Every structure is written in structure tokens, then in C-alpha cells.
Amino acid sequence: MAKENSAFMQPMKVSAELEAIVGKGPMARSEVVSKLWVYIKGKNLQDAKDKRIINTDEALKKIFDNQPTVHMMKMAGFLSKHLSK
């Protein structure tokens, strides 16, 4: 069980680009990831053959350095650039 004050649960400032997708910050990194998945699934942006691949729309391209697709395991690295203490 994670400690209540773990770094993963600390509220972070959210960049304007990311805020357009997940809403107003600050929020915990885990909350950002959850809301990002709600957005991805709501817009049907997962690849039909490989659900681990996200097909980016214009809003996600601002987060994922203009990449047309992103593997879900690479998301955290991109998100780090849009979160600050």
C-alpha cells in the first residue's frame, strides 16, 4: 500500500496543454494518468490491433511531441515534461 504522502500522490502543477485534456490542476500524477486514459478511450484513440498504441489527435500531439502514435509505456516520460511541483 502506498503511503499517503508518497511522491506519486503529491499534487502537481499541470501545463496548459495537458490541462486542456485532463482539466484544471493541481492534481496527483495518478489522477492525471487516469483522466488521460478516460480521454483516450472516450475518443477511441487506441489502435484497433494493438491497444497499447495510442493514435494521437491534435490535443495529444501537444503532449507527445507531435508523435502520430505513442506506446502506452512511453507516456510517463512525455507527461513528466508537463507536470511540475
Side-chain angles (χ1 to χ4, degrees), residues 14-83:
V14 180
S15 72
E17 296 87 359
L18 187 54
E19 212 171 63
I21 297 169
V22 299
K24 273 275 199 222
M27 63 181 75
R29 184 181 300 265
S30 58
E31 187 178 358
V32 170
V33 171
S34 292
K35 289 184 177 195
L36 187 59
W37 274 109
V38 167
Y39 178 87
I40 291 166
K41 289 179 179 184
K43 299 241 181 209
N44 198 26
L45 296 174
Q46 286 178 283
D47 186 80
K49 293 181 182 177
D50 186 351
K51 298 287 187 187
R52 298 172 296 177
I53 303 294
I54 293 111
N55 298 310
T56 59
D57 62 3
E58 289 306 310
L60 288 178
K61 284 181 181 176
K62 293 176 183 176
I63 306 302
F64 298 135
D65 293 339
N66 269 340
Q67 300 294 316
T69 62
V70 174
H71 193 280
M72 65 183 267
M73 300 304 284
K74 303 280 184 180
M75 283 180 16
F78 289 107
L79 288 178
S80 293
K81 299 174 187 175
H82 293 275
L83 297 170

